[in-house]
Amino acid sequence: MITKRIIPCLDVRNARVVKGVNFEGLNDVSSPVELAKFYSENLADELVFYDITASCEERNIFTDILCETARNVFIPLTVGGGINTLDDFDRVLKCGADKVSVNSGAIRNPDLIYQAAKRYGDQCVVLSADIKRVDGEFRVFAKGGREDTGMEAISWIKRCVDNGAGEIVVNSIDTDGVKGGFDIEMLKAVCNAVNVPVIASGGAGCVNDFVTLFDQVPGVDAGLAASIFHFGEVAIPDLKKELKSKGINVRM
């Protein structure tokens, strides 16, 4: 049985972790270094670090805070934000990332995923897809959820997997920060379309939301969340104990 992963997400702006609702109204939370260290010591399986304004500000990711964060974690670290070229991949990996997440950069240059997978391996390349319903269609958004690309999401994700993306993070803008549960319909559609690991992001509000996720979408490999972990509403050790009691395989 595949072990399900629990992944905290650090949305970083100006070297601080922030969190909002539906990708808007961002509020300061904490230091990414301190939070990363805490999660590394408290049963998180992996950690995601997003420099959330790098793409819309058209700049490179902040490497100083990333390097310091990477030095304090001993679990796999995925890093994204402002990834537009192979040089960006190289710089982030040299800062200590294990995997690199690409979103807007792949939309601007779809060949980037193929080039990165060829150089670094599929397992290193993560497609982060920000998706929102528009006129009944799953639509891909760019620049931190600010720009509607007009592209249908499922076909875009399939294309990226065909090009070498080894993992998909599905960020539901509709459920982000709302704490009403993961976007089950969207996640089922993605899992049915691809055969690489899929990470669910957006909507977790309680322990039972994770139980529902893994029960209703068995193809999902991991659940990602931010505010419920950052603000102590759910402790990862407690979450894993409950998942295990429900017959869901997790690392303790």
Side-chain angles (χ1 to χ4, degrees):
M1 186 187 300
I2 295 175
T3 301
K4 303 299 186 182
R5 292 172 285 154
I6 302 300
I7 306 175
C9 179
L10 307 181
D11 293 322
V12 180
R13 182 183 66 177
N14 298 327
R16 296 285 295 177
V17 176
V18 296
K19 193 68 187 83
V21 177
N22 303 129
F23 283 34
E24 297 180 348
L26 301 176
N27 296 308
D28 184 83
V29 176
S30 184
S31 155
V33 178
E34 293 304 315
L35 269 183
K37 184 177 180 182
F38 172 80
Y39 289 133
S40 182
E41 294 171 349
N42 284 272
L43 289 184
D45 295 298
E46 298 187 15
L47 194 64
V48 168
F49 179 114
Y50 288 141
D51 185 337
I52 60 171
T53 57
S55 290
C56 67
E57 294 173 1
E58 298 184 350
R59 60 167 172 78
N60 294 327
I61 199 166
F62 291 123
T63 54
D64 289 350
I65 194 70
L66 172 57
C67 288
E68 190 176 355
T69 300
R71 282 195 296 268
N72 282 274
V73 300
F74 301 96
I75 53 178
L77 176 64
T78 298
V79 176
I83 306 298
N84 296 296
T85 66
L86 289 181
D87 286 343
D88 293 329
F89 269 81
D90 190 61
R91 183 176 60 258
V92 167
L93 290 169
K94 285 178 178 176
C95 286
D98 298 283
K99 294 182 280 188
V100 181
S101 176
V102 61
N103 186 340
S104 296
I107 293 168
R108 280 190 290 269
N109 174 20
D111 196 44
L112 176 61
I113 287 177
Y114 173 78
Q115 294 170 351
K118 187 175 180 180
R119 177 176 293 187
Y120 301 108
D122 293 8
Q123 79 290 338
C124 179
V125 182
V126 179
L127 173 71
S128 178
D130 296 337
I131 306 173
K132 184 177 182 179
R133 289 168 178 79
V134 178
D135 298 328
E137 178 182 71
F138 293 134
R139 196 78 61 80
V140 178
F141 277 66
K143 296 185 177 179
R146 295 168 179 82
E147 181 181 290
D148 184 352
T149 66
M151 293 192 299
E152 192 278 323
I154 305 304
S155 58
W156 165 245
I157 290 170
K158 289 174 68 175
R159 177 184 177 187
C160 292
V161 170
D162 288 343
N163 281 342
E167 189 169 75
I168 310 296
V169 178
V170 180
N171 305 302
S172 171
I173 298 175
D174 293 320
T175 61
D176 174 71
V178 178
K179 299 183 181 179
F182 291 96
D183 197 323
I184 300 299
E185 179 190 17
M186 182 184 295
L187 292 163
K188 284 182 176 179
V190 174
C191 288
N192 288 336
V194 299
N195 59 358
V196 298
V198 173
I199 298 172
S201 172
C206 62
V207 168
N208 195 56
D209 288 335
F210 287 88
V211 176
T212 300
L213 169 68
F214 295 129
D215 180 58
Q216 294 192 13
V217 197
V220 161
D221 290 76
L224 180 150
S227 57
I228 62 167
F229 296 145
H230 298 342
F231 299 120
E233 296 166 41
V234 173
I236 293 176
D238 295 339
L239 168 59
K240 287 190 167 185
K241 286 177 185 176
E242 181 64 17
L243 291 172
K244 197 169 187 66
S245 75
K246 301 292 186 182
I248 298 166
N249 193 28
V250 291
R251 179 185 67 88
M252 299 300 291

